[in-house]
């Protein structure tokens, strides 16, 4: 991925909210083909909690500069990782970071600095 790709995680108020989510957190994005509301649903999970929401897939919920779940659904096999870049009210903006396996391997061998608090809006 040359240029950064961003998605918005919405529906957080149905799970744990966004109060605890910080810039720099790693989010696992997983296709949810059995979702009865959206055939292109992509679930967003934060370990160890689990599901925190879904990637926005409606013109009404996808912020400018972000791609919808439908736009990225066919670009990966099953799981994708992302890094939280912004938290705005009940929406989490996530930068796609690569496949689950690629991100896991790079995080094992890389030393990560704590994420700065910039980009955190309420």
């Amino acid at each position: 991925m040359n240029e950064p790709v961003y998605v918005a995680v919405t529906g957080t108020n149905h799970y744990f909210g966004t109060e605890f989510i910080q810039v720099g957190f790693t989010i696992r994005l997983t296709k949810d083909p059995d979702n009865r509301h959206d055939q292109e649903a992509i679930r967003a999970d934060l370990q160890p909690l689990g599901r925190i929401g879904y990637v926005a897939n409606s013109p009404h919920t996808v912020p400018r500069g972000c791609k919808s779940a439908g736009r990225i659904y066919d670009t990966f096999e099953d799981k994708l990782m992302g890094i939280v870049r912004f938290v705005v009210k009940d929406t989490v903006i996530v930068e796609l970071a690569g496949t689950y396996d690629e991100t896991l391997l790079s995080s094992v061998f890389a030393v990560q600095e704590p994420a700065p608090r910039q980009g955190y809006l309420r």
Side-chain angles (χ1 to χ4, degrees):
M1 294 182 192
N2 296 336
E3 278 192 41
V5 176
Y6 298 98
V7 296
V9 174
T10 59
T12 56
N13 55 329
H14 298 291
Y15 300 97
F16 300 99
T18 59
E19 293 295 320
F20 65 95
I21 298 176
Q22 296 181 15
V23 171
F25 277 9
T26 302
I27 305 291
R28 182 177 62 199
L29 304 172
T30 307
K31 289 182 178 180
D32 190 1
D34 298 327
N35 187 301
R36 61 186 171 150
H37 302 288
D38 184 356
Q39 292 180 341
E40 297 173 319
I42 300 173
R43 186 176 70 234
D45 295 307
L46 178 64
Q47 297 303 322
L49 291 176
R51 186 177 311 160
I52 61 165
Y54 281 86
V55 174
N57 202 22
S58 161
H60 303 289
T61 58
V62 178
R64 178 179 290 162
C66 291
K67 294 201 177 208
S68 67
R71 296 279 304 228
I72 68 164
Y73 194 84
D74 292 329
T75 65
F76 65 101
E77 194 68 35
D78 183 47
K79 294 179 184 166
L80 190 62
M81 298 303 287
I83 310 296
V84 173
R85 294 301 183 206
F86 302 93
V87 179
V88 184
K89 297 182 183 176
D90 61 349
T91 301
V92 180
I93 306 299
V94 176
E95 180 182 351
L96 302 184
T99 65
Y100 182 73
D101 294 333
E102 289 172 350
T103 306
L104 183 62
L105 285 174
S106 66
S107 67
V108 168
F109 296 107
V111 176
Q112 295 182 339
E113 296 293 322
R117 297 286 292 176
Q118 66 189 28
Y120 193 84
L121 304 173
R122 288 266 179 227

